[in-house]
Amino acid sequence: MEYAGYVGRFAPSPTGRLHMGSMLSAVASWCDARHAGGTWYVRMEDLDPPREVAGAASDILRTLDAFGLHWDGPVMYQSGRHEAYAEALSQLLDEGRAFGCACTRKLLAGATVYPGHCRSGLRAGQTPRSYRYGMSSGVHGWQDAVQGGQSFVAEELGDFVIKRADGHWAYQLAVVVDDVAQGINAVVRGADLLDSTPRQIALRQALAPAAPAISWAHLPILVNADGQKLSKQTLATPVEADKAPDILVACLSLLGQRCAHEEKVLEMMQGGDVTGILAAAAQGWEMARVPAAPIHSQG
Ligand code: GLU
Ligand code: ZN
């Protein structure tokens, strides 16, 4: 991987406290960035008020801090970025790459992929409820540093929502606009977002054709005994700051990093030295060691 001028980020949604799954993304993206001598931003993806929990954003930042996962520059808050998203939407509409969609939830019920009803324009009397990006046909793929070669055909992705019917900006649009604005060129995140990636690659090329391609690494997801992804919905236990050294070492071990087992690191763990553990982890960081397959976990 080319590491010159590495700019990465951790982009949590403040829908609850950090759990092991989100910690893996934070630790892996931090280590990858620090190993490369790069920049690591934190971006708070607070653009979905109905799903947000009061106090979660500050709790997440406090937790990162307690774990020694220090970020560069100010935290970007998506709630303050509406103008940039509006500009992107009008650029896409002007270029004919996005379209207003009048379909109701009821009309689309049962369709896993958008059937393209409004692609070629709305009929007289119809008004847009949401806005969609028109995916160009063909195969959308990339080489993932953890998951290997990936490809999706446009027909299985469909034209996706970039502004929602409830008036909120869609995650896909906001992520791409902000990744461009922050100069992000490396993304390390959970494999639950794998099918967002071809959409985000297409959107990035449309909005900022001159921006460098992102190098992608999608980490294994953590699953419970039933094979369900650990998430706030499956009541994953939040990580506790007073167990930070143990949790960091556990994350590194799940991420396949050899340093997790080194004696010195275990000593630092016992001494509660998160900074030391992270420094050793960043130095010895090897993305190639991260496993691709889902990991069974209690937490
Ligand atoms: N905010 C998203 C989430 O918490 C992650 C976005 C990303 O890493 O691209 O699931
Ligand atoms: Zn439609």
Side-chain angles (χ1 to χ4, degrees), residues 28 145-146 218-220 254-257 285-293:
V146 175
H218 287 85
L219 306 169
L254 292 174
L255 291 164
Q257 302 303 303
W285 178 255
E286 277 183 68
M287 190 66 87
R289 292 184 166 273
V290 177

PDB file of all heavy atoms in Angstrom, residues 28 145-146 218-220 254-257 285-293:
ATOM      1  N   ALA A  28      -8.099  -0.197  14.646  1.00  0.00           N
ATOM      2  CA  ALA A  28      -7.430  -0.551  13.392  1.00  0.00           C
ATOM      3  C   ALA A  28      -7.154   0.684  12.544  1.00  0.00           C
ATOM      4  O   ALA A  28      -6.073   0.817  11.957  1.00  0.00           O
ATOM      5  CB  ALA A  28      -8.282  -1.549  12.610  1.00  0.00           C
ATOM      6  N   ALA A 145      -8.043  -4.272   1.139  1.00  0.00           N
ATOM      7  CA  ALA A 145      -6.819  -4.715   1.819  1.00  0.00           C
ATOM      8  C   ALA A 145      -7.070  -5.883   2.768  1.00  0.00           C
ATOM      9  O   ALA A 145      -6.143  -6.604   3.112  1.00  0.00           O
ATOM     10  CB  ALA A 145      -6.191  -3.544   2.572  1.00  0.00           C
ATOM     11  N   VAL A 146      -8.304  -6.079   3.203  1.00  0.00           N
ATOM     12  CA  VAL A 146      -8.600  -7.215   4.081  1.00  0.00           C
ATOM     13  C   VAL A 146      -9.462  -8.261   3.369  1.00  0.00           C
ATOM     14  O   VAL A 146      -9.181  -9.457   3.436  1.00  0.00           O
ATOM     15  CB  VAL A 146      -9.315  -6.747   5.375  1.00  0.00           C
ATOM     16  CG1 VAL A 146      -9.733  -7.941   6.231  1.00  0.00           C
ATOM     17  CG2 VAL A 146      -8.419  -5.814   6.173  1.00  0.00           C
ATOM     18  N   HIS A 218     -11.795  -3.415   4.892  1.00  0.00           N
ATOM     19  CA  HIS A 218     -13.021  -3.723   5.642  1.00  0.00           C
ATOM     20  C   HIS A 218     -12.757  -4.851   6.638  1.00  0.00           C
ATOM     21  O   HIS A 218     -12.465  -5.981   6.250  1.00  0.00           O
ATOM     22  CB  HIS A 218     -14.156  -4.063   4.678  1.00  0.00           C
ATOM     23  CG  HIS A 218     -14.687  -2.856   3.948  1.00  0.00           C
ATOM     24  ND1 HIS A 218     -14.120  -2.367   2.800  1.00  0.00           N
ATOM     25  CD2 HIS A 218     -15.724  -2.029   4.254  1.00  0.00           C
ATOM     26  CE1 HIS A 218     -14.808  -1.290   2.407  1.00  0.00           C
ATOM     27  NE2 HIS A 218     -15.776  -1.063   3.274  1.00  0.00           N
ATOM     28  N   LEU A 219     -12.863  -4.488   7.914  1.00  0.00           N
ATOM     29  CA  LEU A 219     -12.514  -5.391   9.010  1.00  0.00           C
ATOM     30  C   LEU A 219     -13.587  -6.454   9.197  1.00  0.00           C
ATOM     31  O   LEU A 219     -14.755  -6.227   8.883  1.00  0.00           O
ATOM     32  CB  LEU A 219     -12.401  -4.578  10.303  1.00  0.00           C
ATOM     33  CG  LEU A 219     -11.454  -3.384  10.219  1.00  0.00           C
ATOM     34  CD1 LEU A 219     -11.647  -2.505  11.455  1.00  0.00           C
ATOM     35  CD2 LEU A 219     -10.020  -3.870  10.108  1.00  0.00           C
ATOM     36  N   PRO A 220     -13.194  -7.592   9.759  1.00  0.00           N
ATOM     37  CA  PRO A 220     -14.192  -8.636  10.035  1.00  0.00           C
ATOM     38  C   PRO A 220     -15.246  -8.095  11.002  1.00  0.00           C
ATOM     39  O   PRO A 220     -14.928  -7.297  11.879  1.00  0.00           O
ATOM     40  CB  PRO A 220     -13.365  -9.736  10.715  1.00  0.00           C
ATOM     41  CG  PRO A 220     -12.162  -9.043  11.263  1.00  0.00           C
ATOM     42  CD  PRO A 220     -11.857  -7.937  10.293  1.00  0.00           C
ATOM     43  N   LEU A 254      -7.801  -9.809  18.304  1.00  0.00           N
ATOM     44  CA  LEU A 254      -8.838 -10.117  17.306  1.00  0.00           C
ATOM     45  C   LEU A 254      -8.408  -9.665  15.915  1.00  0.00           C
ATOM     46  O   LEU A 254      -8.793 -10.257  14.909  1.00  0.00           O
ATOM     47  CB  LEU A 254     -10.164  -9.441  17.671  1.00  0.00           C
ATOM     48  CG  LEU A 254     -10.889  -9.945  18.929  1.00  0.00           C
ATOM     49  CD1 LEU A 254     -12.096  -9.078  19.241  1.00  0.00           C
ATOM     50  CD2 LEU A 254     -11.307 -11.401  18.752  1.00  0.00           C
ATOM     51  N   LEU A 255      -7.621  -8.602  15.865  1.00  0.00           N
ATOM     52  CA  LEU A 255      -7.169  -8.068  14.580  1.00  0.00           C
ATOM     53  C   LEU A 255      -5.938  -8.818  14.057  1.00  0.00           C
ATOM     54  O   LEU A 255      -5.345  -8.427  13.048  1.00  0.00           O
ATOM     55  CB  LEU A 255      -6.871  -6.573  14.704  1.00  0.00           C
ATOM     56  CG  LEU A 255      -8.102  -5.671  14.914  1.00  0.00           C
ATOM     57  CD1 LEU A 255      -7.701  -4.277  15.405  1.00  0.00           C
ATOM     58  CD2 LEU A 255      -8.922  -5.563  13.619  1.00  0.00           C
ATOM     59  N   GLY A 256      -5.540  -9.865  14.760  1.00  0.00           N
ATOM     60  CA  GLY A 256      -4.453 -10.722  14.273  1.00  0.00           C
ATOM     61  C   GLY A 256      -3.063 -10.118  14.419  1.00  0.00           C
ATOM     62  O   GLY A 256      -2.114 -10.590  13.793  1.00  0.00           O
ATOM     63  N   GLN A 257      -2.945  -9.086  15.267  1.00  0.00           N
ATOM     64  CA  GLN A 257      -1.652  -8.410  15.379  1.00  0.00           C
ATOM     65  C   GLN A 257      -0.752  -9.141  16.366  1.00  0.00           C
ATOM     66  O   GLN A 257      -1.144  -9.421  17.495  1.00  0.00           O
ATOM     67  CB  GLN A 257      -1.851  -6.951  15.795  1.00  0.00           C
ATOM     68  CG  GLN A 257      -2.729  -6.179  14.824  1.00  0.00           C
ATOM     69  CD  GLN A 257      -2.183  -6.199  13.391  1.00  0.00           C
ATOM     70  OE1 GLN A 257      -1.049  -5.786  13.150  1.00  0.00           O
ATOM     71  NE2 GLN A 257      -2.992  -6.678  12.456  1.00  0.00           N
ATOM     72  N   TRP A 285       2.135  -2.658  13.291  1.00  0.00           N
ATOM     73  CA  TRP A 285       0.854  -2.865  12.592  1.00  0.00           C
ATOM     74  C   TRP A 285       1.040  -3.483  11.202  1.00  0.00           C
ATOM     75  O   TRP A 285       1.851  -3.021  10.404  1.00  0.00           O
ATOM     76  CB  TRP A 285       0.114  -1.539  12.463  1.00  0.00           C
ATOM     77  CG  TRP A 285      -1.182  -1.670  11.706  1.00  0.00           C
ATOM     78  CD1 TRP A 285      -1.430  -1.270  10.433  1.00  0.00           C
ATOM     79  CD2 TRP A 285      -2.395  -2.252  12.194  1.00  0.00           C
ATOM     80  NE1 TRP A 285      -2.727  -1.567  10.089  1.00  0.00           N
ATOM     81  CE2 TRP A 285      -3.346  -2.179  11.154  1.00  0.00           C
ATOM     82  CE3 TRP A 285      -2.767  -2.843  13.400  1.00  0.00           C
ATOM     83  CZ2 TRP A 285      -4.650  -2.670  11.281  1.00  0.00           C
ATOM     84  CZ3 TRP A 285      -4.067  -3.319  13.536  1.00  0.00           C
ATOM     85  CH2 TRP A 285      -4.987  -3.233  12.475  1.00  0.00           C
ATOM     86  N   GLU A 286       0.282  -4.551  10.934  1.00  0.00           N
ATOM     87  CA  GLU A 286       0.301  -5.156   9.595  1.00  0.00           C
ATOM     88  C   GLU A 286      -1.126  -5.479   9.191  1.00  0.00           C
ATOM     89  O   GLU A 286      -1.722  -6.415   9.722  1.00  0.00           O
ATOM     90  CB  GLU A 286       1.094  -6.473   9.628  1.00  0.00           C
ATOM     91  CG  GLU A 286       2.593  -6.292   9.506  1.00  0.00           C
ATOM     92  CD  GLU A 286       3.278  -7.662   9.466  1.00  0.00           C
ATOM     93  OE1 GLU A 286       3.084  -8.384   8.462  1.00  0.00           O
ATOM     94  OE2 GLU A 286       3.951  -8.001  10.439  1.00  0.00           O
ATOM     95  N   MET A 287      -1.643  -4.728   8.240  1.00  0.00           N
ATOM     96  CA  MET A 287      -3.027  -4.954   7.793  1.00  0.00           C
ATOM     97  C   MET A 287      -3.185  -6.373   7.251  1.00  0.00           C
ATOM     98  O   MET A 287      -4.244  -6.980   7.366  1.00  0.00           O
ATOM     99  CB  MET A 287      -3.401  -3.914   6.728  1.00  0.00           C
ATOM    100  CG  MET A 287      -4.865  -3.901   6.379  1.00  0.00           C
ATOM    101  SD  MET A 287      -5.926  -3.351   7.747  1.00  0.00           S
ATOM    102  CE  MET A 287      -5.904  -1.580   7.487  1.00  0.00           C
ATOM    103  N   ALA A 288      -2.107  -6.892   6.667  1.00  0.00           N
ATOM    104  CA  ALA A 288      -2.169  -8.225   6.052  1.00  0.00           C
ATOM    105  C   ALA A 288      -2.510  -9.317   7.064  1.00  0.00           C
ATOM    106  O   ALA A 288      -2.937 -10.409   6.688  1.00  0.00           O
ATOM    107  CB  ALA A 288      -0.840  -8.543   5.375  1.00  0.00           C
ATOM    108  N   ARG A 289      -2.309  -9.033   8.357  1.00  0.00           N
ATOM    109  CA  ARG A 289      -2.608 -10.041   9.383  1.00  0.00           C
ATOM    110  C   ARG A 289      -4.068 -10.036   9.817  1.00  0.00           C
ATOM    111  O   ARG A 289      -4.503 -10.932  10.538  1.00  0.00           O
ATOM    112  CB  ARG A 289      -1.769  -9.764  10.633  1.00  0.00           C
ATOM    113  CG  ARG A 289      -0.310  -9.995  10.415  1.00  0.00           C
ATOM    114  CD  ARG A 289       0.472  -9.803  11.706  1.00  0.00           C
ATOM    115  NE  ARG A 289       1.789 -10.357  11.520  1.00  0.00           N
ATOM    116  CZ  ARG A 289       2.077 -11.633  11.740  1.00  0.00           C
ATOM    117  NH1 ARG A 289       1.175 -12.464  12.191  1.00  0.00           N
ATOM    118  NH2 ARG A 289       3.295 -12.074  11.513  1.00  0.00           N
ATOM    119  N   VAL A 290      -4.803  -9.007   9.437  1.00  0.00           N
ATOM    120  CA  VAL A 290      -6.201  -8.913   9.886  1.00  0.00           C
ATOM    121  C   VAL A 290      -7.023  -9.995   9.185  1.00  0.00           C
ATOM    122  O   VAL A 290      -6.981 -10.108   7.964  1.00  0.00           O
ATOM    123  CB  VAL A 290      -6.780  -7.511   9.573  1.00  0.00           C
ATOM    124  CG1 VAL A 290      -8.250  -7.432   9.973  1.00  0.00           C
ATOM    125  CG2 VAL A 290      -5.959  -6.424  10.266  1.00  0.00           C
ATOM    126  N   PRO A 291      -7.758 -10.796   9.951  1.00  0.00           N
ATOM    127  CA  PRO A 291      -8.557 -11.852   9.317  1.00  0.00           C
ATOM    128  C   PRO A 291      -9.764 -11.252   8.599  1.00  0.00           C
ATOM    129  O   PRO A 291     -10.253 -10.190   8.971  1.00  0.00           O
ATOM    130  CB  PRO A 291      -9.015 -12.722  10.494  1.00  0.00           C
ATOM    131  CG  PRO A 291      -9.017 -11.791  11.667  1.00  0.00           C
ATOM    132  CD  PRO A 291      -7.918 -10.778  11.417  1.00  0.00           C
ATOM    133  N   ALA A 292     -10.255 -11.950   7.579  1.00  0.00           N
ATOM    134  CA  ALA A 292     -11.378 -11.429   6.799  1.00  0.00           C
ATOM    135  C   ALA A 292     -12.721 -11.941   7.327  1.00  0.00           C
ATOM    136  O   ALA A 292     -13.729 -11.243   7.289  1.00  0.00           O
ATOM    137  CB  ALA A 292     -11.220 -11.832   5.334  1.00  0.00           C
ATOM    138  N   ALA A 293     -12.735 -13.162   7.831  1.00  0.00           N
ATOM    139  CA  ALA A 293     -14.006 -13.814   8.174  1.00  0.00           C
ATOM    140  C   ALA A 293     -14.592 -13.275   9.475  1.00  0.00           C
ATOM    141  O   ALA A 293     -13.845 -12.832  10.355  1.00  0.00           O
ATOM    142  CB  ALA A 293     -13.777 -15.316   8.297  1.00  0.00           C
TER     143      ALA A 293
END
